[in-house]
Amino acid sequence: MNYAPEGATLSPFLIAEMACAHEGEPARARKLVDAAVAAGFDAIQIQIFRRTHQVGPHHRLYPLLGKLELSDEAWESIVARARQYEIDVYVFAYDVPSLELALRLGVDGIKLSSADLSNPEMLRMASATGLPVTLGTGASTLDEVAEALDIMRTAGPARVILMHGMQNFPTSLADAQINRIALLRHAFGLPVGYQDHTDAELPISRTIDMLALGLGATHLEKHITLSRAEKGTDYQAALEPLEMVDYVRTMREAALAAGAYGLHALNESDHRYRVFQKKRIVAARAIPAGTLLTREHLAFLRQDADVGLSPAYADDLIGRMLARDVDAYTPINLDDVAESAEHVYLMEA
C-alpha cells in the first residue's frame, strides 16, 4: 500500500482502468492488459458485473450491458494474462456475485464506486476481505462518506483509499474539482486518490493528474483504450497505448519532482546548494587582534565552502573584542572573540 509516512517520497499507485473498453471480447481485454503492462502501470483494473444485478430489463443500458458482460471463464483468462506480468489486478465490482468472483480469482484490490457508497452489503463484504479498497466518493456528501467509513471500520480490516472523481462522458474541466482531494484528506485522514474522466482529446488530460499529486493523491486511476477513434464504450476519457506510456512517465517524473511529504533532514543536494548560495560573516578588511568589532568590520558574503557563521549571528560578534588577527574576507567565528564585555575589561586591564 502507498500510505506515505511523514518525510517519505511517495510514488503514486497508477491504475489502468479497462472499464468496458474490451467491448465484450476477451481477446481485446487481454490486449488491454498487455498495453497497461507495457506502459508501466502498477495495476490493471477490470470491471465485473452481472447485468441482472445492475439494471432492470426496461433500462436503456440493459441491451448494451448484455453485450459487454463477460463469463467467469473469460475473466479467468484475463486475470491469468495479467499474472504473467508484474502487475496487480484490481476489480471494480458492481454487485455481490461479481465481488465473490473477484475473490475467487485472487485479486489484489477491490474498487467500489460511489453507487455502492451507501450500500452496506457491498461495503461490509469488501471491507471483510482485508484487501485495499478504493472507494469512489463522486457526487456524494461528506456525511455519506463518513457513514460508509463507519460501516467499513466495523466490518473488517480493509485498507481504504478514498477516490475523488466522477464520470460524465467526459467530465468537463470545471467539474473536475480536484481541490476536493485536500478536503477529503483533511476530513478523514485517509489516503485519497483521483480518478480522471476529463476529455482525453484535450492536451491537459495527459497532465491534469499532476494537480492531484500536488494535493497529496496517492492513487491515480486512468481509463485506457486501444483506440479512441473507434468510439467504443467508455472511450471519451481513455488514453491510447502510446499516450499511456507518456502518461506513466510524466506521473513518475512529477512525483519525483514533488519529493517528500512533511519535514525532512537536509539531503546531499540541499548541502550542495547551501555551500553555493548561503552568505557567511567575513572580515570586511584585515582586522588586528584586540579590535572591538562593529558592523563596519563585518561583511556578509557567499563562500566556496560551508564554513563560517550565518549573518544571523552578527549581533553575537558586534561589541566584542577580536582575539586574533583576521585577514580580509576570512570568516569570523565565535571562538575568535572574547566571551563577554567583562572578559574585554579583564583583557584591557
Side-chain angles (χ1 to χ4, degrees), residues 1 4 50 124 143 296 320:
M1 283 299 296
R50 298 292 187 268
R124 291 191 184 102
D143 285 343
E296 287 67 31
R320 295 170 68 177

Side-chain angles (χ1 to χ4, degrees), residues 250-304:
T250 299
M251 292 307 113
R252 300 291 187 213
E253 291 175 348
L256 184 64
Y261 286 90
L263 297 175
H264 61 93
L266 296 182
N267 61 26
E268 191 272 338
S269 176
D270 293 321
H271 284 294
R272 279 205 317 271
Y273 188 61
R274 285 178 68 85
V275 171
F276 171 74
Q277 192 67 274
K278 294 290 188 179
K279 292 181 177 180
R280 304 295 180 183
I281 301 174
V282 300
R285 55 183 181 273
I287 311 172
T291 301
L292 236 96
L293 293 176
T294 66
R295 173 62 183 85
E296 287 67 31
H297 290 110
L298 309 180
F300 305 150
L301 302 178
R302 291 159 63 185
Q303 301 292 291
D304 289 326

